[in-house]
Amino acid sequence: MAQSDNKRFFENLTGAGKAIAVLTSGGDAQGMNAAVRAVVRMGIYVGAKVYFVHEGYQGMVDGGDNIKEATWENVSSMLQVGGTVIGSARCKDFRTHEGRLKAAHNLIQRGITNLCVIGGDGSLTGANLFREEWSGLLAELVQQGLIDEDAAQKYSALHIVGMVGSIDNDFCGTDMTIGTDSALHRIIEVVDAIMTTAQSHQRTFVLEVMGRHCGYLALVSALACGADWVLIPEMPPEDGWEEKMCQKLSATRSRGSRLNIIIVAEGAIDRHGKAITSSIVKDLVVSRLGFDTRVTILGHVQRGGTPSAFDRILASRMGVEAVLALLETTANTPACVVSLCGNQSVRLPLMECVQMTQEVQKAMDGKRFEEAVQLRGRSFENNLKTYKLLAHRKPESELPHSNFNVAVLNVGAPAAGMNAAVRSAVRVGISEGHKMFAVNDGFEGFYKGQIKEIKWADVGGWTGQGGSLLGTKRTLPAKHIDKIAEQMRKYNINALLVIGGFEAYLGIMELLEARRTYEELCVPMVMVPATVSNNVPGSDLSIGADTALNAITATCDRIKQSASGTKRRVFIIETMGGYCGYLATVGGLAAGADAAYIFEEPFDIRDLQANVEHLTEKMKTSIQRGLVLRNENSNENYTTDFIYQLYTEEGKGVFDCRKNVLGHMQQGGAPSPFDRNFGTKISAKAMQWITKKLNESYRRGRVFANTEDSACLLGMRRRAMVFQPVVQLKDETDFVHRIPKEQWWLKLRPLMKILAKYKTSYDVSDSGQLEHVVVNRPKASETSVTI
């Protein structure tokens, strides 16, 4: 396949002669194995020796067989395994000076001066202390005659890079820690299952989730399932919360709901620091309301199971970034932690992050709860704002009255998370005083007049529903523009929110073009991208793509497992995506594919032959299975059948082949926690933009908006959510193939190839640079919901 011409990696970054040790410490988290795998393979790829440290710091102190050199094959079949296969342990010995002296001696004996530590803030703080003491420890070892002066000189500096593995997402400086998304998957699976039994019996369920000091899991799972009430340590409820909660539960039942969900973080407290347990909440509901109430404590099930696609990709990207950081470090470089900000890897000084994390606890201990929420970071704060916006309905008398009518519709193929986006839009719109209208079946339903008012209670329970409850069609508006304008006039529609894929993008442009003829279309319009293909210009991510990736990853896991114990086998898997190779590439990275064929990176018969030869070589070692993904429109001649037959013929005597076309299962199923929350937050932000534009464009008793910036697409660009005028995205679009001309995820392809043992160039021009932790302290008047 085509290879990057960027040579900076080979010229400046070589690990020849270096030794890197990787360890997992503290509590385990799903995705740690993906991080270990990435560190080992990237380290070997650059010519370094890589060592496993088994059982965390305890293994480093004990030495011996606990510190072993890792091979490429050692980390095969690790991606789908939860926990950490190299073990983790709490270590009292490492907290002592004598323990750290033993650890230093064990590392020096193997020439290790580069440590990659995967753990929480305690593990990373310990690593930083070890680094600071290093020169003193070496001096002691020389004094005791355990090493000589030459060794002390040669290994004079210890370099440390951290990755945060914690399901609680309690480490400041990163939007997500390894394991958090997988834990949310476990929680949401349980919540979805509980909701069916709760509805059968008209029950209230109190769910207790992990989070002794951090309420992230409770907050985000409450947002993802539309829970009636959530209790977290960072923002204890106001005094008198008991009565307010019971009123909310009672109001929900009175509107026809057959169930209530309350989510409690295990560390939840009231304003006076008193614990609020799940049993206290249950007794309260039973005594005051008499509702049939059950408690479910999820416990360690949240730590278990296979890692989600998001965690595998996050951990793989962080593992590679950690090796790059170790190779670039100097004696003066502070210990850093590899983090995620928006959709971008960043490096932050480890101790700045640790100190910020400790500041959160100090703020909570001092009952400065608003400060604690801000210190948790942008992601946490905005999750909390969004939950408050959507879960607690204000009385009619307190709502503003805008007299504006806003229509929401789904356009294109269905995508998981669309319903969460519609629910969010409807409730935020009502909260802002608008009358909300639902359009069934996209633009087709629009011109047919399938429009009706939709109210707060109508969207209850929508977050966990897959597909599109409004109905969606691929029909574009141009042919029926006169009828659509007529319906806009009939229902006095003052703004449009379009949730969908490439057809939605084209539809908005057609409406924009028709403004010259139809004044009814001179209203604010915003599009929110929702498509499994992730092919909408102007956004790095689309609603539904994460759910599709999880479907691909789970299926690939099962397919690979089917070959265990059989002879060597290669699987050819076809994914959806049209001409966009996102699902094939990122799904391949998450599933550990050997190759992924896509339209954006042309390939020919020589590339196919090279891939077969590569797999043949791998199969001669201990590796038993191969996985090849092909995007459905990657090449009109090299079809899935052709590639399957080629591999079958060329692999004779070494491996056999199987093929699988995943099809529409990638569009179905319940939305992932990521898609529920992404849809919820991006839609809330879109509705707030609509409110602003409506107020700006209201003149002389009517709304009139015909400027470029009154028809926008809201998308994630690197670190931020950005409103972009649709007309400005034209130059970024390949309309023939329905994809953006530039796509960020193409930079992940070399990473996938490196982890599959291909020799390829890796572009480090976009790798993380050392930054400082920034705390945003918004003004009291600022209410925008960002992601």
Side-chain angles (χ1 to χ4, degrees):
M1 288 190 208
Q3 298 207 353
S4 169
D5 293 328
N6 187 300
K7 302 296 180 190
R8 181 183 156 209
F9 182 84
F10 293 107
E11 289 169 1
N12 300 331
L13 294 172
T14 174
K18 290 200 175 188
I20 299 170
V22 58
L23 68 141
T24 53
S25 177
D28 65 307
Q30 309 98 315
M32 279 184 165
N33 289 325
V36 170
R37 171 180 177 269
V39 170
V40 169
R41 292 195 166 177
M42 190 65 176
I44 292 171
Y45 173 79
V46 298
K49 274 190 174 183
V50 187
Y51 290 84
F52 289 139
V53 179
H54 291 275
E55 311 307 330
Y57 286 119
Q58 191 64 57
M60 197 189 294
V61 173
D62 294 342
D65 287 342
N66 288 303
I67 306 175
K68 285 183 180 175
E69 188 173 351
T71 66
W72 193 276
E73 288 73 25
N74 287 156
V75 292
S76 295
S77 303
M78 276 176 63
L79 264 176
Q80 67 270 30
V81 180
T84 165
V85 298
I86 60 174
S88 183
R90 311 282 181 188
C91 180
K92 291 182 180 176
D93 291 340
F94 193 74
R95 294 177 186 173
T96 67
H97 183 79
E98 293 74 17
R100 292 192 291 277
L101 191 65
K102 285 182 185 176
H105 186 219
N106 288 327
L107 294 183
I108 291 295
Q109 285 180 313
R110 294 162 179 83
I112 298 169
T113 55
N114 295 280
L115 273 186
C116 183
V117 181
I118 308 166
D121 62 335
S123 304
L124 298 178
T125 304
N128 192 64
L129 175 63
F130 191 38
R131 174 181 170 274
E132 288 174 348
E133 290 183 345
W134 185 255
S135 57
L137 294 170
L138 295 196
E140 281 187 59
L141 291 172
V142 170
Q143 195 176 2
Q144 293 176 19
L146 295 172
I147 62 171
D148 57 29
E149 287 284 357
D150 288 344
Q153 282 292 113
K154 186 176 180 182
Y155 305 120
S156 60
L158 179 67
H159 306 299
I160 286 172
V161 172
M163 284 183 274
V164 190
S166 165
I167 68 165
D168 291 337
N169 203 30
D170 56 354
F171 192 81
C172 293
T174 185
D175 288 352
M176 288 286 271
T177 57
I178 296 168
T180 304
D181 187 70
S182 300
L184 286 170
H185 272 258
R186 299 296 91 78
I187 295 167
I188 294 305
E189 285 163 12
V190 171
V191 172
D192 286 351
I194 277 174
M195 286 175 105
T196 55
T197 182
Q199 284 178 326
S200 302
H201 298 276
Q202 292 199 56
R203 280 185 178 146
T204 296
F205 267 89
V206 182
L207 266 79
E208 184 181 301
V209 301
M210 283 185 166
R212 194 171 299 119
H213 303 292
C214 179
Y216 186 88
L217 289 179
L219 176 59
V220 174
S221 53
L223 199 55
C225 72
D228 295 283
W229 204 266
V230 64
L231 293 156
I232 59 172
E234 290 90 345
M235 186 53 69
E238 300 289 344
D239 290 346
W241 65 271
E242 299 92 339
E243 186 61 34
K244 287 180 183 175
M245 184 184 77
C246 290
Q247 284 174 359
K248 171 79 191 304
L249 300 181
S250 189
T252 303
R253 287 288 179 94
S254 68
R255 288 195 294 266
S257 176
R258 294 176 60 83
L259 80 155
N260 301 111
I261 299 286
I262 303 165
I263 297 184
V264 184
E266 62 179 330
I269 53 173
D270 65 16
R271 289 268 154 178
H272 309 287
K274 184 183 173 187
I276 303 175
T277 64
S278 49
S279 57
I280 287 173
V281 175
K282 177 199 168 181
D283 293 344
L284 184 67
V285 175
V286 172
S287 63
R288 297 205 183 187
L289 297 174
F291 290 173
D292 184 3
T293 306
R294 298 286 189 274
V295 171
T296 299
I297 299 173
L298 268 63
H300 281 73
V301 71
Q302 295 159 89
R303 285 195 191 279
T306 188
S308 66
F310 182 95
D311 271 330
R312 299 184 198 196
I313 296 156
L314 173 68
S316 297
R317 289 177 71 183
M318 283 188 170
V320 168
E321 188 68 37
V323 173
L324 295 178
L326 283 171
L327 296 181
E328 291 177 346
T329 194
T330 66
N332 300 320
T333 308
C336 77
V337 62
V338 178
S339 301
L340 179 75
C341 182
N343 193 33
Q344 196 176 16
S345 296
V346 294
R347 301 176 196 171
L348 298 169
L350 190 154
M351 288 315 294
E352 283 188 23
C353 297
V354 169
Q355 284 158 12
M356 183 79 70
T357 304
Q358 292 168 349
E359 284 297 318
V360 176
Q361 193 58 49
K362 288 177 185 174
M364 287 162 63
D365 292 342
K367 297 185 172 54
R368 302 188 307 277
F369 299 114
E370 296 284 350
E371 184 183 338
V373 168
Q374 288 175 1
L375 288 168
R376 275 278 178 237
R378 181 186 59 167
S379 177
F380 187 95
E381 188 174 11
N382 293 317
N383 280 316
L384 184 57
K385 281 182 183 177
T386 310
Y387 178 77
K388 286 178 178 179
L389 202 59
L390 297 174
H392 302 296
R393 184 182 184 183
K394 292 179 182 176
E396 293 286 338
S397 58
E398 292 182 25
L399 289 174
H401 292 285
S402 70
N403 295 318
F404 292 129
N405 295 342
V406 181
V408 58
L409 63 157
N410 295 157
V411 176
M418 275 182 164
N419 297 320
V422 172
R423 169 186 175 268
S424 175
V426 168
R427 292 197 168 179
V428 172
I430 291 170
S431 295
E432 309 231 325
H434 311 319
K435 189 180 278 189
M436 298 299 297
F437 287 84
V439 181
N440 296 114
D441 296 336
F443 288 118
E444 187 174 311
F446 209 141
Y447 82 79
K448 289 179 179 177
Q450 293 170 213
I451 303 166
K452 62 179 181 181
E453 188 179 354
I454 187 166
K455 303 204 170 178
W456 187 281
D458 295 336
V459 291
W462 278 34
T463 50
Q465 300 290 318
S468 167
L469 292 172
L470 288 185
T472 181
K473 295 278 180 75
R474 293 182 183 272
T475 309
L476 292 173
K479 289 181 181 177
H480 312 284
I481 208 78
D482 54 338
K483 291 180 182 175
I484 288 173
E486 184 184 318
Q487 297 296 341
M488 295 276 287
R489 185 167 58 252
K490 179 180 174 182
Y491 288 92
N492 189 29
I493 301 299
N494 305 120
L496 282 180
L497 172 60
V498 183
I499 301 165
F502 205 85
E503 286 88 0
Y505 171 64
L506 295 175
I508 288 272
M509 285 201 290
E510 289 182 2
L511 294 177
L512 197 58
E513 190 69 26
R515 277 179 171 178
R516 287 178 288 187
T517 311
Y518 299 94
E519 279 196 4
E520 293 87 349
L521 301 176
C522 293
V523 298
M525 304 175 191
V526 64
M527 178 198 159
V528 167
T531 167
V532 301
S533 302
N534 198 32
N535 63 330
V536 178
S539 189
D540 290 353
L541 297 172
S542 299
I543 299 165
D546 183 72
T547 304
L549 281 175
N550 278 289
I552 292 166
T553 305
T555 306
C556 288
D557 286 351
R558 290 173 187 165
I559 286 171
K560 287 200 294 184
Q561 191 182 48
S562 73
S564 73
T566 65
K567 59 183 179 178
R568 295 181 175 96
R569 183 164 287 168
V570 174
F571 297 95
I572 315 293
I573 313 290
E574 183 183 299
T575 67
M576 293 177 91
Y579 286 96
C580 180
Y582 176 80
L583 290 180
T585 296
V586 184
L589 182 59
D594 295 280
Y597 300 112
I598 63 169
F599 169 78
E600 292 91 340
E601 192 174 277
F603 58 97
D604 57 26
I605 195 68
R606 287 164 297 190
D607 297 311
L608 291 168
Q609 184 61 36
N611 292 149
V612 173
E613 290 169 2
H614 180 79
L615 270 167
T616 304
E617 282 302 308
K618 284 178 73 174
M619 290 290 180
K620 288 176 182 175
T621 65
S622 60
I623 293 173
Q624 301 289 313
R625 290 160 291 183
L627 182 67
V628 174
L629 271 62
R630 177 188 175 274
N631 167 244
E632 58 185 349
N633 288 345
S634 55
N635 189 294
E636 62 180 336
N637 295 314
Y638 300 132
T639 62
T640 301
D641 278 336
F642 178 90
I643 293 172
Y644 162 69
Q645 288 164 7
L646 175 71
Y647 273 70
T648 300
E649 181 63 31
E650 296 297 319
K652 273 183 182 175
V654 181
F655 59 80
D656 66 359
C657 256
R658 295 290 186 273
K659 67 173 178 176
N660 196 301
V661 178
L662 300 185
H664 281 76
M665 64 169 288
Q666 295 159 86
Q667 280 184 343
S672 67
F674 182 93
D675 277 330
R676 297 182 195 201
N677 287 296
F678 185 48
T680 297
K681 290 191 285 188
I682 194 171
S683 235
K685 189 172 176 66
M687 279 306 304
Q688 290 178 327
W689 177 88
I690 281 176
T691 299
K692 180 170 172 271
K693 287 293 177 187
L694 282 169
N695 290 327
E696 286 175 0
S697 58
Y698 186 70
R699 297 284 183 278
R700 297 174 186 171
R702 59 171 290 194
V703 172
F704 187 83
N706 68 345
T707 55
E708 280 188 2
D709 67 352
S710 64
C712 283
L713 181 145
L714 174 56
M716 176 183 272
R717 282 287 178 99
R718 293 169 72 86
R719 300 193 190 189
M721 299 300 300
V722 186
F723 289 97
Q724 303 143 99
V726 173
V727 292
Q728 292 179 15
L729 294 173
K730 281 185 179 180
D731 292 340
E732 298 181 24
T733 308
D734 175 352
F735 287 99
V736 175
H737 299 104
R738 298 159 58 88
I739 54 174
K741 289 178 181 174
E742 290 187 15
Q743 304 186 84
W744 69 272
W745 50 266
L746 286 169
K747 290 184 178 177
L748 298 181
R749 287 188 62 77
L751 188 151
M752 183 193 72
K753 292 176 193 174
I754 287 167
L755 297 181
K757 212 173 183 178
Y758 284 90
K759 287 181 170 59
T760 184
S761 182
Y762 186 65
D763 182 354
V764 296
S765 59
D766 199 39
S767 64
Q769 303 300 315
L770 193 65
E771 302 177 14
H772 291 284
V773 179
V774 177
V775 186
N776 293 323
R777 299 187 184 275
K779 297 169 187 173
S781 60
E782 193 175 304
T783 56
S784 66
V785 178
T786 55
I787 293 178

